[in-house]
Structure formats: C-alpha cells, structure tokens
Amino acid sequence: MTEQTRDHAADATYEPDPRRWRILAVSLVVGFMSLLDVTIVNVAVPSIRAGLDTSAATVQWVVSGYALAFGMTLVAGGRLGDAHGRRRLMTIGLVGFIVSSAAVGLAPNAAAIVLARLAQGASAGLLTPQNSGLIQQLFRGPERGRAFGMFGFTVAVASATGPLIGGALIALLGDEQGWRSLFLVNVPIGLVALVLIRRLVPDNPGGDDAEKDPRVDLPGALLLGLAVLSVLFPLISIEGGAGLPLLLLLAFPPLAWAFVRWEVRTVRLGRPPLLDVSLLRGLPGYANGLLVGTLYFTGFTGIFLVLSVHLQEGEGFTPLRTALLMTPFAFGAAVTSPVAGRLVGRFGRRVTLVALSVMMTGTALAAWLVTSPPDALWWTLAPAMFLAGIGGGGVISPNFTLSLSEVPPRMGGAAGGALQTGQRIGSAFGAALLMTVYQSVNAVTSAPVAARSALLAALLVLSVALAAAVRSWRLGD
C-alpha cells in the first residue's frame, strides 16, 4: 500500500472521537500558556532589570532566550509527537515547562533566569506543535476549519494579551513580586492541565494513518536546529542591543541546503525523516502557507514591541496603560478568528486576502494616528488597533487550515511545527527590523515620527504577505 493510498484509506475509516472538543480545549489552554510567555515579559524587562541590578542586554535574553529555544525545537517536538504519541510529548513538555517556570520565578540572579528561560522555551517547543498534530488527528472536513479557528484565536489572543496580563500583575503586586508572578502562575495552571492531559488526550491512533517507524532523525534535527539558530541568534542580538553576530547569517544557506539534502537521502533510504521536504514540492498549499505565515508574523509581531517601547519611553505611559491601549487588537482578533475558521472551508484563500487587507487598513490608520497627542491616543490609536485585530484574527487560522489540509495526520506534528518555526523566525526578524527603524528614526527626529516609520515598515512587509496570498489564490490554493 502506498503512502497516499494509506492516507486516503485512513480518511475513509475515520470515526470522530466524542471527546474531541474537550481534548482541543485542554490542548489550547496549554498552547496559550506557552505562547503567552513569548510576549508577557516584554513589559516586565525594566522591573526585572531593576530587581536583579543587571544590564539591559542581559535582561533582554530573558525574552530572547525563550524565543530562541522555542524556535529551535518546534519541528523536532512535532516529529517526536508524530512518532511517540501526543499525550507522551505533552506530558514531558508540560512537566519541563512547569519546572522551568518555577525556576525562573524563584531565580536568585539573571544568569539563572536566562538558563531557566532556555529550558522553558525548549519545553514549549515540545508542547506547541502537538496542537496542530491533535487537530489533524481528531478533526476532518469543516470541523477541522473550526478547530483551527479556535487555534488561531488562541495564538492571536495570547500574543496580544501578554503585555496586558504582565502589566496588570506588576501593577497589582509591585515590581519585584510582579515579574516573578508572571512565571510562577504557570505552576498551578500547568498542574491542572497535566491532570487533564493524562485523562483526556489520546496517544496517536494505531490504525493505517499511524506512524509506523518511531525512530527520530537526530542528524536532521541537529542540522535544522543549527539552521534556525543561525537566523534567530543574530536577529535577537540586534533586537537586544547586544553584539551583532551578523556573519552567522552566512551559515544559514549551507545549513539549510545540507538539511534538505539529508532529508531527501533519509527518505530515499526508507528511514523516517524529521520533516519530509517533499511536502514543499508536492503540496503547493503547504509551501504557500509557510511563506504567507512567515511574512505575516514578520509584519505583525514587531508592532506590539515597537508600540510597547514607544508608549512607555516616548509617551511616558505605565506598563498597564500601555497594555490596555493595545488590548483592542486582541478583542478584534477574538471576534473574527472563530468566524474565519468556519468560513475558510467555503471561501478558501479569499478569507486570508480579505483579512490581510483589513489588517493592513488598521495598520495604516495606526501609522497615521500614532502621532496624536498622548491623551487622544485612546480615541485614535485604540480603534485603529481594533480594526487591525479584526483583520489579524482572520489570517492565522485559515492559513493553518489551508496549509495543512492535504498533510497526512501522521505528519501533522512535524508539518505544523515547521509552520510555527517560520512564525518564530518571522517574529524575530520583524521585531529586529521594526525596532531598528524606530531607534534609527528616533535618533534624528521625534518618537511619534519614529513610531509612524516603524508601522509603515510593518505595512510594507504585510503588503508582501498579501502579494504571496494573492499568488496562492491564483494558483488555486
């Protein structure tokens, strides 16, 4: 039986798990925790620096170290879930996440925090791709679109509410206990989620769509990890104002080539690959979705970092006030993510095109209105962010649905991990790009003009994402 025939046979014999929506809810709670920790510490950097009496560059690695380890382990985590079971990998990842979260919250110095954040990011990399893998495994047809709609809602809300939750905890508990609570709160939530995972989440199915060979491609994992490192490390170093090891970027092309060649050889020899690169050639929808998602996160994520820095340092806002001003984006995304997940089955890539256009309109308005007087930003910038959120909520879930629609469930974890790796690389590049624009313009003119310039740079990147989505639509994705 060929792999394609096996996948069609698995779809024909599919019987929905009656607990699938409860399983999805547990999975998304865990996913929300891991994604929230990407952005929740942005507003806490000044408090951590003051509490530990360390340099800004060192504290920046509290943010960047998590993102680095997260991005490096996503595909390997997805493949391990495909091969050894979702419940097992979620259990291992969540235990690591709980322990490392406690270690960060109780850390006595900056070095201990950075090490614990690296471990926390690696644990999140094991956890997060199991979300897309479970959706591929448990849902078919229009239900899969709705499930990815909830996943997109989780991604958008976690990204946008991180600063709000962080600012609120610091305002409530004070600088020292506030930043520690950002990490310690993961412990009780994680323990409850761990019990639910053990009770509800199934291992991978044992039928025809199961992965038959549990071996993991360690050389492929090493090559891909080094390739991701060669991109992320220079980008987050630029963002953090530390050294500029840009020469490391030159290592990416040969490492990426070596990874692809190794994976092709692995498949040819009949061994299980880390990521079957034939997906990029044989499934145009997957390759297009990877490109659209990476470009979207490049333009989308840096907006929050720039506005957080600008409103606090340029306009004198408190962390909580800053977070409240950006929260309308989360509300907008919360409205449209589930709706977009339901509509994608009927309208396909057109949902992404409309959503990106609305997102770009809101970003353009924000760029125009960000120079308003500080007291007027509640009535100018906040509505623009809400409109951008309305559009943004309709991008992530349809893109995941379309990208993974033809990917066999037995590859769902690794394929979803690759999509999220593209998002992490895009987020790092976008944050570095927008902050560089903001700081460069701010050095020669005013902070509001610098913020406008950074938002226009984001708009330019989003226009490239829109062009990629248009191309995908024309090709019939």
Side-chain angles (χ1 to χ4, degrees):
M1 181 183 291
T2 66
E3 290 188 354
Q4 186 175 13
T5 303
R6 184 175 74 178
D7 296 330
H8 285 310
D11 282 340
T13 59
Y14 162 75
E15 293 185 7
D17 190 319
R19 304 174 302 166
R20 61 194 180 281
W21 292 106
R22 283 182 290 166
I23 296 168
L24 177 65
V26 175
S27 173
L28 293 183
V29 168
V30 176
F32 182 85
M33 288 171 57
S34 59
L35 290 168
L36 186 72
D37 271 47
V38 177
T39 59
I40 195 172
V41 297
N42 283 341
V43 297
V45 167
S47 301
I48 296 174
R49 182 183 179 188
L52 297 176
D53 190 24
T54 189
S55 68
T58 299
V59 173
Q60 183 60 37
W61 277 97
V62 176
V63 180
S64 303
Y66 182 89
L68 178 63
F70 193 6
M72 287 180 63
T73 53
L74 278 165
V75 177
R79 165 61 191 159
L80 286 167
D82 292 339
H84 295 283
R86 311 282 175 220
R87 181 172 60 195
R88 180 179 299 177
L89 261 292
M90 290 184 77
T91 300
I92 294 171
L94 187 53
V95 169
F97 193 81
I98 293 169
V99 172
S100 55
S101 294
V104 178
L106 300 174
N109 53 56
I113 290 182
V114 171
L115 289 175
R117 282 286 280 176
L118 288 169
Q120 192 186 31
S123 300
L126 299 180
L127 278 172
T128 306
Q130 310 315 324
N131 286 315
S132 57
L134 277 171
I135 291 173
Q136 289 286 97
Q137 177 181 327
L138 295 172
F139 298 92
R140 299 289 191 277
E143 275 197 347
R144 182 178 287 176
R146 292 198 292 273
F148 272 120
M150 298 308 299
F151 177 70
F153 166 83
T154 302
V155 174
V157 173
S159 299
T161 59
L164 175 63
I165 296 173
L169 286 173
I170 292 171
L172 180 65
L173 300 175
D175 286 348
E176 173 66 21
Q177 298 305 316
W179 73 260
R180 293 184 182 276
S181 70
L182 304 185
F183 306 102
L184 293 176
V185 72
N186 290 330
V187 176
I189 298 173
L191 289 173
V192 173
L194 187 62
V195 173
L196 293 175
I197 286 171
R198 300 304 300 174
R199 292 186 61 183
L200 289 176
V201 175
D203 275 324
N204 296 4
D208 289 334
D209 63 340
E211 176 57 69
K212 301 300 183 183
D213 194 332
R215 290 179 296 174
V216 175
D217 177 17
L218 293 178
L222 178 62
L223 285 170
L224 182 60
L226 290 174
V228 173
L229 176 67
S230 70
V231 175
L232 285 181
F233 184 75
L235 292 176
I236 64 181
S237 296
I238 292 172
E239 180 188 340
L244 302 179
L246 293 179
L247 288 178
L248 193 58
L249 288 170
L250 298 177
F252 175 73
L255 285 170
W257 178 85
F259 170 72
V260 171
R261 296 306 303 165
W262 176 265
E263 294 304 287
V264 170
R265 178 179 180 272
T266 300
V267 172
R268 187 173 65 247
L269 294 176
R271 301 169 184 166
L274 181 73
L275 176 66
D276 191 342
V277 294
S278 66
L279 293 174
L280 299 175
R281 297 192 305 270
L283 299 178
Y286 180 74
N288 291 332
L290 179 61
L291 178 60
V292 171
T294 300
L295 289 169
Y296 172 70
F297 270 78
T298 301
F300 150 71
T301 312
I303 292 174
F304 295 103
L305 179 61
V306 165
L307 288 179
S308 179
V309 171
H310 168 65
L311 292 172
Q312 291 184 74
E313 297 183 358
E315 303 291 358
F317 283 28
T318 65
L320 180 57
R321 190 181 178 194
T322 297
L324 286 171
L325 193 52
M326 292 188 288
T327 299
F329 185 99
F331 285 126
V335 171
T336 53
S337 290
V339 176
R342 290 194 294 268
L343 293 178
V344 68
R346 182 187 303 178
F347 298 106
R349 183 59 75 182
R350 284 174 289 181
V351 175
T352 310
L353 297 179
V354 173
L356 267 172
S357 299
V358 175
M359 166 73 173
M360 291 172 64
T361 301
T363 304
L365 284 173
W368 177 38
L369 297 169
V370 75
T371 57
S372 302
D375 291 341
L377 290 175
W378 296 105
W379 317 111
T380 55
L381 184 61
M385 293 298 292
F386 178 74
L387 181 62
I390 289 286
V395 176
I396 299 172
S397 56
N399 191 61
F400 258 94
T401 304
L402 294 168
S403 301
L404 297 175
S405 61
E406 297 179 6
V407 174
R410 59 190 169 81
M411 300 181 182
L419 288 176
Q420 293 176 72
T421 300
Q423 293 174 3
R424 292 303 103 214
I425 292 174
S427 297
F429 180 71
L433 172 66
L434 268 59
M435 281 304 299
T436 299
V437 171
Y438 177 79
Q439 291 167 352
S440 300
V441 176
N442 192 31
V444 297
T445 184
S446 65
V449 173
R452 173 179 287 175
S453 301
L455 290 174
L456 289 175
L459 191 62
L460 180 63
V461 175
L462 290 170
S463 68
V464 180
L466 180 62
V470 169
R471 179 179 179 276
S472 177
W473 172 57
R474 287 180 174 175
L475 291 175
D477 177 17

